[in-house]
Amino acid sequence: MAPKTLLVVVGATGIGKTALAIQLALHYKTEILSADSRQFYAEMNIGTAVPAPEELQMVPHHFIQHKNIQEPYSVGDFERDALALLEQLYKVHNLVIMVGGSGLYIDAVLYGMDSFPKIDPSVREALNKELVLHGIGSLQEELTNADPDYAQKVDIQNPHRVLRALEVWRASGKPYSSYLGRKKNARSFNAVIVGIDAERAVIYQRINERVDMMMEAGLLNEAEGLRQYKDINALQTVGYKELFKHLEGHCTLEQAIEEIKKNSRRFAKRQGTWFRKNKSIVWVSHDKPFGLILKRIEKERKKL
């Protein structure tokens, strides 16, 4: 039997991945796996741009708000669960769609997790104490000096990501990035990866407009309801951490909104850097007609 196909839709935040994935799923009469790590959590709705209820009803979606914010869920967990689900879906469908902007999670499903050295728990404990006592600034500086390549593409405002990279560096003496890309696991499916592209000005404009729409939809109230959990890793993300600062009196609401927009633009830039390194991605313009995108996808499928 010919290998199944995983059609992956990637791109920067706010670029239109959800809309294209739904169009494709309707065309191929298939289902969608979300690879957006922010959308895994049931309590986070507005700030993660979860597909609207009517969109979720159009096509079966998986890995959307299936966890609670207090439940740890790693990229390794996602890889395991996604592969198990794909095995079941391929009994019914020849093609399944995966969509998202979390490059690490997408790569885990496509290529497998990288192998890292075992870390003594005391290393993480020491890093956590430093974070509490001195803040994230000095740790960001250490990561930038020790591993500039990874520091450039990771969300350096996310303490979990910074601590993970530093614990590998301190324990092994080797940069975290040196362990990436070593291991490639064989998969039972072929992949076609479609990236949605646009001029930077267009991406930034869409991000700014989406943040304004989120605020109008009640993002501030959503953040207020989650503030008691602000130290949980799931909430160390753009859209929430800025509003937590406002709610605690550290900045005005207008300043917080501008920070969300600025940090979202930075995140989009890092997404672009991550995806551009994958030469197998087929890039299409955000305004390209759907019919032409379909033709391009079918052309790539014939090469498999």
Side-chain angles (χ1 to χ4, degrees):
M1 184 172 62
K4 305 293 186 174
T5 300
L6 183 62
L7 177 55
V8 188
V9 179
V10 303
T13 183
I15 197 65
K17 298 185 295 294
T18 295
L20 177 58
I22 289 174
Q23 279 187 290
L24 290 168
L26 290 171
H27 174 79
Y28 287 110
K29 297 180 175 58
T30 189
E31 305 184 26
I32 295 175
L33 277 65
S34 172
D36 187 328
S37 62
R38 290 159 33 101
Q39 294 181 355
F40 294 159
Y41 302 102
E43 299 86 349
M44 300 164 66
N45 186 46
I46 299 171
T48 61
V50 169
E54 55 269 25
E55 292 177 316
L56 294 174
Q57 290 175 4
M58 293 171 70
V59 175
H61 283 71
H62 304 274
F63 301 109
I64 295 284
Q65 297 186 313
H66 67 304
K67 297 291 180 181
N68 69 70
I69 55 174
Q70 298 185 71
E71 186 177 359
Y73 194 65
S74 69
V75 61
D77 294 329
F78 176 70
E79 178 194 12
R80 179 199 64 231
D81 293 346
L83 292 176
L85 177 60
L86 284 172
E87 185 176 346
Q88 295 303 311
L89 292 178
Y90 283 138
K91 294 178 180 178
V92 182
H93 305 285
N94 290 322
L95 180 149
V96 177
I97 295 169
M98 183 166 68
V99 58
S102 301
L104 182 63
Y105 287 72
I106 290 168
D107 284 358
V109 174
L110 290 177
Y111 312 118
M113 290 290 292
D114 294 289
S115 180
F116 292 95
K118 290 185 177 180
I119 310 295
D120 190 297
S122 63
V123 178
R124 172 55 74 100
E125 291 173 7
L127 283 165
N128 280 322
K129 288 181 182 178
E130 290 180 40
L131 178 64
V132 172
L133 290 174
H134 307 297
I136 196 173
S138 61
L139 297 175
Q140 291 171 330
E141 183 177 356
E142 181 181 351
L143 178 59
T144 300
N145 292 331
D147 194 352
D149 182 59
Y150 187 68
Q152 182 183 12
K153 65 182 180 182
V154 74
D155 181 1
I156 204 164
Q157 301 300 325
N158 186 324
H160 176 75
R161 302 284 184 225
V162 173
L163 294 186
R164 174 57 178 150
L166 283 179
E167 70 178 5
V168 171
W169 160 249
R170 290 189 180 183
S172 69
K174 297 180 180 179
Y176 183 85
S177 59
S178 69
Y179 291 94
L180 299 176
R182 289 182 173 184
K183 182 180 179 182
K184 301 296 182 184
N185 290 341
R187 297 305 191 208
S188 61
F189 53 80
N190 290 323
V192 174
I193 315 172
V194 177
I196 307 177
D197 200 9
E199 295 292 329
R200 182 170 295 180
V202 173
I203 296 174
Y204 287 1
Q205 179 183 355
R206 292 174 73 122
I207 287 172
N208 292 341
E209 291 173 352
R210 187 162 78 162
V211 172
D212 290 336
M213 290 173 63
M214 287 177 173
M215 294 305 301
E216 292 173 6
L219 180 57
L220 181 60
N221 289 336
E222 184 170 276
E224 174 67 73
L226 294 170
R227 186 153 64 107
Q228 61 181 311
Y229 306 110
K230 68 182 181 68
D231 294 325
I232 290 177
N233 181 57
L235 287 166
Q236 306 302 311
T237 187
V238 177
Y240 294 96
K241 59 185 181 182
E242 297 87 355
L243 290 177
F244 293 150
K245 290 181 180 179
H246 161 66
L247 291 168
E248 293 173 352
H250 299 299
C251 63
T252 66
L253 180 58
E254 291 73 20
Q255 289 172 330
I257 293 172
E258 285 306 309
E259 280 296 299
I260 295 174
K261 292 178 178 178
K262 181 181 71 175
N263 290 332
S264 295
R265 294 192 296 266
R266 288 176 174 172
F267 178 56
K269 186 176 180 180
R270 287 193 299 272
Q271 287 176 306
T273 299
W274 182 289
F275 291 127
R276 288 293 177 187
K277 290 183 178 180
N278 188 338
K279 302 304 179 183
S280 63
I281 294 178
V282 176
W283 291 97
V284 299
S285 176
H286 73 103
D287 55 0
K288 191 168 186 175
F290 180 67
L292 295 181
I293 294 176
L294 268 181
K295 286 184 179 179
R296 185 64 190 277
I297 289 171
E298 287 305 312
K299 180 180 177 181
E300 295 302 316
R301 290 185 72 190
K302 289 177 181 178
K303 295 179 183 178
L304 298 176

